[in-house]
Amino acid sequence: MNRPIQTTLAIAPMMDWTDRHCRFFHRQLTRRALLYTEMVVADAVIHGARERLLGFDDAEHPVALQLGGSDPRKLAEAAAIGEAFGYDEINLNVGCPSDRVQSGTFGACLMKTPVLVAQCVAAMKAAVNIPVTAKCRIGVDDQDPEPALDTLADGVLAAGADALWVHARKAWLEGLSPKENRDIPPLDYPRVYRLKARKPNEFIGINGGIQSLEEASAHLAYVDGAMLGRAAYHTPGILTGVDAAFYGEPSVAFDYAALIEAMSGYAARHIEKGGRLGHVTRHMVGLFHGLPGARRYRQILSTDANKPGAGPEVLKAAFAAIDFAAEVEAA
């Protein structure tokens, strides 16, 4: 295995959310958490605009590329391209329930073809020298999660996968929308714990419904890694505690002024290349959740940042709305 068994905190791959701007932002909040891209389809990597699809800032390391596909040859080629771009890990999506993914016969529907998933992982492993991992559900539709997850995990790990991340819910490909699939199927954390108990020498990580660093830490009594999804996106301020809580680094007061300076400089560079401020700031709206002035901060980013010609000064104006002194007095 390329990845040692260790306590790991990761930010989940999230379609339309964890783009390069989101990842750069999250990296300012935690130096150590493993970041994941949105899922990128293997065909797009091979035939599409690679810099647009795969480009990222060096500051994002460690960062993993998540691929979607079901053709071992294409996935191997796309994995090699990702490695050449500098990614630290390649991850195979075996869990996304969206209609677009189903029509391409990959994502969660691959849970029904575990032999093919193992073949995909083996091909990717043979093509790269960096870790290859997979992310799956505990089952799909009417599958019994006990044998379904074991069969998938046994095949993937035997094929050489360096880690398996498990979203602890079923995916219902019939009858539920992608959004409903994130909430309606019940969470079954013990099922993932049982998988880890069967695979004590393999890296098993858990994902799904984890709302806080405290919850993530509690899971680590049973598995090797915890993956935050929507909680990291909607309340990114929680990420400032990751390095101290999970990687033994000193607990110090976070420098939000330095963060805003870093993001302002990043936004300016993006705008110079033809981008818009809103591309960056849309990921930052929840940063000051619960602090005095957060509502005004959100208003500025949601309106002024999306106006034509908006520049980094808008981000700085939004930051000025936060009343840190009031927060200190309340404490």
Side-chain angles (χ1 to χ4, degrees):
M1 295 177 65
N2 288 326
R3 183 209 296 261
I5 301 295
Q6 59 179 348
T7 298
T8 298
L9 195 288
I11 311 301
M14 292 176 278
M15 294 293 290
D16 300 322
W17 287 359
T18 52
D19 62 16
R20 67 179 70 187
H21 310 307
C22 177
R23 298 191 307 268
F24 183 89
F25 168 51
H26 284 172
R27 182 55 72 218
Q28 309 313 303
L29 303 172
T30 165
R31 294 192 311 109
R32 302 291 296 277
L34 177 61
L35 306 181
Y36 279 82
T37 69
E38 304 171 86
M39 182 192 69
V40 185
V41 178
D43 273 326
V45 171
I46 296 168
H47 302 294
R50 293 179 185 175
E51 177 57 38
R52 178 179 61 82
L53 291 168
L54 301 181
F56 65 94
D57 193 287
D58 283 344
E60 294 175 37
H61 291 292
V63 58
L65 169 64
Q66 187 183 67
L67 293 175
S70 58
D71 183 319
R73 180 187 60 79
K74 291 179 179 179
L75 283 165
E77 184 177 354
I81 293 168
E83 181 180 38
F85 260 79
Y87 283 96
D88 300 295
E89 171 189 313
I90 307 295
N91 177 267
L92 177 62
N93 184 317
V94 194
C96 181
S98 78
D99 295 337
R100 183 163 64 89
V101 167
Q102 289 185 58
S103 67
T105 61
F106 49 88
C109 61
L110 285 175
M111 293 289 298
K112 298 178 179 179
T113 56
V115 172
L116 176 58
V117 176
Q119 292 170 347
C120 291
V121 168
M124 295 162 71
K125 283 289 294 183
V128 301
N129 294 308
I130 56 177
V132 171
T133 67
K135 185 171 184 289
C136 67
R137 294 283 185 127
I138 61 174
V140 294
D141 296 336
D142 292 323
Q143 284 184 332
D144 180 343
E146 292 299 325
L149 182 58
D150 281 349
T151 299
L152 188 286
D154 289 347
V156 162
L157 295 169
D162 298 287
L164 180 64
W165 292 93
V166 185
H167 185 150
R169 305 180 198 266
K170 269 191 172 185
W172 286 92
L173 305 180
E174 300 290 338
L176 293 181
S177 70
K179 181 179 185 299
E180 290 169 333
N181 262 298
R182 293 193 292 267
D183 295 301
I184 292 178
L187 286 160
D188 188 355
Y189 296 134
R191 177 64 193 94
V192 186
Y193 301 162
R194 292 193 295 276
L195 174 64
K196 175 57 190 177
R198 282 188 63 243
K199 299 288 184 181
N201 298 318
E202 307 282 5
F203 187 106
I204 304 297
I206 198 165
N207 168 232
I210 302 174
Q211 298 298 314
S212 67
L213 298 189
E214 291 74 20
E215 287 183 28
S217 182
H219 285 299
L220 295 179
Y222 305 97
V223 293
D224 303 301
M227 182 178 276
L228 294 174
R230 284 170 288 169
Y233 191 85
H234 291 307
T235 55
I238 68 174
L239 299 180
T240 62
V242 165
D243 296 349
F246 295 91
Y247 296 97
E249 297 198 359
S251 181
V252 296
F254 188 78
D255 190 343
Y256 283 103
L259 165 69
I260 297 302
E261 283 300 318
M263 293 309 301
S264 295
Y266 177 84
R269 295 191 296 274
H270 177 61
I271 292 168
E272 288 173 3
K273 296 175 184 176
R276 298 182 60 181
L277 179 65
H279 296 159
V280 176
T281 57
R282 74 184 184 97
H283 304 296
M284 302 177 64
V285 172
L287 176 60
F288 295 109
H289 178 78
L291 292 183
R295 183 178 180 183
R296 179 60 182 148
Y297 168 86
R298 292 194 300 270
Q299 289 175 336
I300 294 172
L301 289 194
S302 298
T303 55
D304 295 356
N306 291 299
K307 294 178 180 178
E313 69 280 355
V314 173
L315 177 55
K316 293 181 179 180
F319 177 60
I322 302 300
D323 188 350
F324 289 100
E327 176 67 10
V328 171
E329 291 175 6

